Amino acid sequence: MKRTALPLALAFLGLGIDSHAVPLIAGLDENSSLALAEAGEALMGELQCANCHAGGAEYLFARKSGPDLSEVGQRVSSGFLIKFLANPPDAHKGARMPDLLQALPVKEREGAVEALAAFLISLGHEDEALPAWEEGDGARGKALFEEVGCLACHEDPRDGPSRKPVESLSSLAHLSDKYSASSLAQFLHEPLEVRKSGRMPDFHLSSREAADLAQFLVPGRAQVAKAEQAEPQKVRLGKRLFVQLNCVACHSLKDLPPPRPS
């Protein structure tokens, strides 16, 4: 498949998407041998289209869930959440989450981002600290990064921003904005607890190994940056928007209604 086939396949699905916002799908790059229609079918499964869109596709593709957001306010920085909601591919290159707010006027979009972020930040208990991960060693983490095969799927963070990105590799540039060393270590220790349908396998790292790897990837990030507690009214609005935008189709949360097919 030629280099332009992924954007063309997205167009095949009726997704008007800028080239810089093309999601990263392993195997769908310039080396793929899939025909355009086959690439479109693969994308429907990988982008979880059937989670929202009925009409037969739901019988072709197994339902995949998005990340568990039940404690997202505890493990992800508020600044990253706001940036990601405002423009997913800008905050995380290759992000698969669609920009559900792009059609809104600027003021409405900003208000929706603030409300959704307030709701998500509220998901996590301020009085419950993350597990006490022992302080990691970045040098050991560097060796582990090479040993377990992270470079097969991810860009090398040591190359810095000047390095030309590789289209088929997932960027790690957003990690320092998103996680603390502690919250990243918790994810690396049990990645499938948060991303049950995620591609990243559980390498069965020990807590020490997870802490070492996290310290290599986000050195010096001791804590997740917390926002001030939002007004209850804004949190309620964000919760209502979360349901209205059908976010529950990919991110199920306790006490929220089930997703609705479109």
Side-chain angles (χ1 to χ4, degrees):
M1 186 167 67
K2 295 181 180 179
R3 183 178 296 272
T4 55
L6 182 53
L8 283 173
L10 289 164
F12 169 78
L13 293 176
L15 301 175
I17 188 166
D18 295 333
S19 59
H20 79 280
V22 171
L24 177 63
I25 307 296
L28 287 181
D29 55 24
E30 67 271 20
N31 298 315
S32 175
S33 60
L34 292 178
L36 187 59
E38 292 173 326
E41 184 175 336
L43 279 170
M44 287 190 70
E46 290 298 320
L47 297 179
Q48 302 157 224
C49 302
N51 285 13
C52 289
H53 301 285
E58 65 271 27
Y59 300 108
L60 295 174
F61 307 105
R63 188 182 186 280
K64 296 180 180 180
S65 61
D68 181 356
L69 300 180
S70 58
E71 296 289 339
V72 68
Q74 187 180 15
R75 68 173 187 270
V76 175
S77 77
S78 56
F80 179 83
L81 281 174
I82 292 170
K83 185 177 179 181
F84 186 77
L85 290 167
N87 191 329
D90 185 55
H92 181 183
K93 190 193 81 173
R96 300 185 191 186
M97 190 180 101
D99 186 351
L100 298 175
L101 307 176
Q102 63 177 334
L104 294 178
V106 174
K107 286 294 183 183
E108 287 185 36
R109 181 186 179 93
E110 291 174 351
V113 166
E114 288 182 7
L116 284 167
F119 169 59
L120 294 174
I121 291 166
S122 74
L123 301 178
H125 305 290
E126 293 286 344
D127 56 343
E128 292 184 12
L130 289 169
W133 295 92
E134 51 197 318
E135 186 175 347
D137 181 282
R140 290 198 304 261
K142 173 180 176 291
L144 191 62
F145 185 84
E146 298 170 347
E147 179 184 332
V148 300
C150 303
L151 289 168
C153 297
H154 296 288
E155 293 179 356
D156 192 333
R158 295 165 295 184
D159 289 337
S162 61
R163 178 179 181 272
K164 183 179 179 181
V166 179
E167 291 183 8
S168 59
L169 295 180
S170 178
S171 172
L172 298 175
H174 65 290
L175 290 185
S176 59
D177 290 334
K178 183 176 182 179
Y179 293 108
S180 67
S182 177
S183 63
L184 179 57
Q186 185 182 32
F187 168 73
L188 293 171
H189 187 241
E190 294 181 302
L192 298 180
E193 283 297 306
V194 173
R195 299 180 185 173
K196 299 188 185 303
S197 299
R199 281 185 172 276
M200 181 171 153
D202 186 344
F203 289 103
H204 302 288
L205 301 176
S206 67
S207 59
R208 167 60 70 88
E209 289 172 328
D212 289 343
L213 191 53
Q215 191 58 232
F216 166 64
L217 293 170
V218 289
R221 284 273 291 167
Q223 294 181 333
V224 166
K226 290 284 187 182
E228 293 183 7
Q229 189 170 5
E231 300 172 4
Q233 182 178 357
K234 187 169 288 187
V235 173
R236 288 194 295 270
L237 174 59
K239 183 176 182 178
R240 188 162 66 247
L241 281 172
F242 192 88
V243 175
Q244 289 175 353
L245 292 169
N246 211 25
C247 302
V248 289
C250 291
H251 307 281
S252 59
L253 285 173
K254 188 178 179 181
D255 300 328
L256 290 183
R260 62 184 188 281
S262 61

